[in-house]
Amino acid sequence: MRLFSGLKRSQRAWLIGIVAVGFIARVVWMFAMPYFVPLTQQADPQEYNQLAKNLIAGEGYCLKGLSGHFRFLMRERLNEPSARRPPLYPLLLAAIYRIFGERYRAVFLLQCLFDVVTMLTVFALSRRLFGNVTVGLLATGLAASYLPFFQQNIVLMTENLNMMLTTLSLWAIAEAVASPR
């Protein structure tokens, strides 16, 4: 990514500082706030959680065991393989649950790290598109301080992973266009 190439020492310090403050603020937010959307109040987190638990239990990629009123809204059979949700995030949850147990804070901490990658990618992308380190630092500061991003960290949903992958994809495209081979 050549993130620090061509940066002055002060610019490098600003970038590291902005990203560090953004990460620390997210971790503090994670421990200070109750879970933003409890699993019982929204279908998405409940389904992602159940898919991950079923993968670990060897039940396959199905919604078997889904509880609550969302179960009755489903038109598919819960014991059969499901295409209702894309597999990347439930697979990631299953890996975390396998290592740490069903601990949501471990997931939320990983999502905070996804935000760190997003912030660094926002810097690299902004710097590439505008050719200006100051613009990159401002964009990174906005990404680091935008409160809805904080709230996304404390929910079992795909937004943080998708945002990281999208910004990485946009950066890769910008790099490819800027330096064709």
Side-chain angles (χ1 to χ4, degrees), residues 92 109-119 160-161 164:
L92 179 68
L109 185 59
L110 181 63
Q111 292 181 164
C112 289
L113 292 173
F114 288 163
D115 273 3
V116 167
V117 173
T118 300
M119 287 182 260
N160 288 70
L161 177 61
M164 179 187 72

Side-chain angles (χ1 to χ4, degrees), residues 14 44 119 144 167:
W14 272 104
D44 295 15
M119 287 182 260
T167 56

Side-chain angles (χ1 to χ4, degrees), residues 3 15 18 29 33 64 78 89 122 138 143 148 178:
L3 189 64
L15 177 60
I18 290 168
W29 182 274
M33 298 298 289
K64 179 180 180 180
L78 298 178
Y89 190 70
V122 163
L138 287 172

Side-chain angles (χ1 to χ4, degrees), residues 30-81:
M30 178 180 71
F31 285 104
M33 298 298 289
Y35 297 145
F36 186 61
V37 179
L39 288 176
T40 57
Q41 292 182 1
Q42 196 172 37
D44 295 15
Q46 192 178 49
E47 289 178 22
Y48 291 130
N49 188 54
Q50 193 61 51
L51 286 167
K53 290 186 333 187
N54 286 343
L55 285 169
I56 290 174
E59 299 288 339
Y61 196 75
C62 67
L63 292 166
K64 179 180 180 180
L66 188 66
S67 61
H69 66 278
F70 297 108
R71 175 180 193 186
F72 301 106
L73 298 176
M74 308 275 298
R75 293 195 174 117
E76 60 189 67
R77 295 187 181 129
L78 298 178
N79 294 335
E80 294 179 4

Side-chain angles (χ1 to χ4, degrees), residues 2-3 17 35 37 74 78 80 84 96 100 132 168 175:
R2 300 183 308 268
L3 189 64
Y35 297 145
V37 179
M74 308 275 298
L78 298 178
E80 294 179 4
R84 185 170 165 79
I96 293 170
F100 299 105
N132 188 320
L168 282 168
E175 285 291 314

Side-chain angles (χ1 to χ4, degrees), residues 27-28 38 46 70 74 79 87 135 147 155 169:
V27 172
V28 167
Q46 192 178 49
F70 297 108
M74 308 275 298
N79 294 335
V135 172
L147 285 179
V155 184
S169 298

